[in-house]
Amino acid sequence: MTESVLSAEAVSRVFATGAGDVHALTDVTMDVAPGELVVVRGPSGSGKTTLLNLLGGLDRPTSGRVVLGDGRELSALPEKEVLEVRRTRIGYVFQSFGLIPVLSAAENVEIPLRLLEVDPGARARRVAEALELVGLSGHAQQRPYELSGGQQQRVGIARALVAEPDILIADEPTGQLDSRTAATIMELIRELTHARGLAAVVSTHDPVLMQRADRVVELHDGRLAEPVPATR
Ligand code: ADP
Ligand code: MG
């Protein structure tokens, strides 16, 4: 078996609603290796967000397991331990960037380090490094509204990586960007995934962006379709 940082084993998620059970995800098995960018594609409603939430420890499966590289079952850990894993091991990038409007770029990036109670000197250094990593060193003091959409998402990526996670989860990170900016953001995610040995799971429905994946998995009605060969 190859080394994997994160795996889903026969994972299903059923939502109970007033209108009956919704089978959002059915029997999905996949894993992600270090330095591998896996893109999850599929039409709206196919289960992409549900899958990423399970892989990122934001939700728990109805059946099946989500397992970390160290053998711990994320989907069965007590909430406190899940929180710890989320803070230290997993970086999240959001479609709508998720930045706090009244904080500068640097202050937004600093948030995960404050939660981890990193001391102020080390925080400043690591924030500067993270902003540098995404090409925003000159924009540290700007507020989100003073930045373009692409720059805001770069801040989002810096914030996701500042605590040096080994897993990156990004749910349609380019969904609000024009196609050219989307391509540069996807390329940045790809470069960082490879350079930092991240296990990255990114959802998108843009076929152009899928070309940057190491592997594409496809969801249809909550089920994994046949594997799609990597295009590069
Ligand atoms: P995608 O991200 O691919 O658009 P989702 O994972 O958001 O798909 O949704 C998959 C299916 O699960 C959809 O039918 C959606 O309506 C349903 N679903 C997602 N979350 C919930 C929820 N909290 N309660 C009920 N149904 C849900
Ligand atoms: Mg979604």
Side-chain angles (χ1 to χ4, degrees):
M1 213 180 110
T2 54
E3 175 188 23
S4 101
V5 173
L6 185 63
S7 56
E9 300 174 359
V11 160
S12 297
R13 179 69 166 99
V14 181
F15 293 106
T17 74
D21 286 352
V22 176
H23 293 259
L25 218 56
T26 305
D27 200 21
V28 167
T29 295
M30 62 176 281
D31 55 19
V32 194
E36 184 182 38
L37 174 57
V38 176
V39 164
V40 179
R41 69 185 277 192
S44 183
S46 60
K48 300 183 296 298
T49 295
T50 302
L51 176 60
L52 266 58
N53 286 348
L54 294 175
L55 290 172
L58 300 167
D59 185 22
R60 296 181 193 261
T62 309
S63 62
R65 316 191 315 151
V66 175
V67 182
L68 297 167
D70 60 15
R72 279 187 298 169
E73 185 185 341
L74 179 62
S75 48
L77 293 178
E79 198 51 47
K80 212 175 137 213
E81 246 181 282
V82 172
L83 196 63
E84 170 75 12
V85 169
R86 277 163 43 186
R87 285 184 177 169
T88 58
R89 305 274 312 273
I90 306 178
Y92 301 90
V93 175
F94 304 98
Q95 176 170 356
S96 47
F97 318 134
L99 304 179
I100 297 178
V102 298
L103 299 183
S104 67
E107 288 165 340
N108 269 283
V109 172
E110 191 182 14
I111 293 169
L113 300 181
R114 283 182 177 272
L115 292 172
L116 291 171
E117 298 177 12
V118 174
D119 71 74
R123 282 208 307 260
R125 179 177 52 75
R126 289 171 67 176
V127 167
E129 282 169 6
L131 284 171
E132 163 111 50
L133 200 64
V134 299
L136 282 185
S137 292
H139 300 271
Q141 299 316 318
Q142 286 171 244
R143 303 269 173 90
Y145 67 86
E146 298 172 308
L147 299 168
S148 69
Q151 288 172 330
Q152 290 183 54
Q153 193 55 297
R154 286 173 188 268
V155 175
I157 292 169
R159 184 191 48 197
L161 298 182
V162 73
E164 301 187 344
D166 48 8
I167 295 165
L168 180 70
I169 304 280
D171 192 9
E172 307 211 27
T174 61
Q176 295 198 0
L177 303 174
D178 65 81
S179 58
R180 234 177 65 196
T181 306
T184 62
I185 290 295
M186 199 66 182
E187 184 59 29
L188 177 64
I189 289 175
R190 176 184 141 84
E191 283 170 17
L192 292 172
T193 296
H194 292 168
R196 298 167 79 88
L198 299 168
V201 186
V202 178
S203 71
T204 181
H205 48 238
D206 185 335
V208 175
L209 300 181
M210 289 166 206
Q211 294 174 3
R212 288 181 164 76
D214 297 312
R215 190 152 51 92
V216 177
V217 300
E218 182 159 0
L219 283 173
H220 275 289
D221 295 332
R223 290 176 188 272
L224 230 44
E226 286 301 300
V228 182
T231 49
R232 58 190 271 184

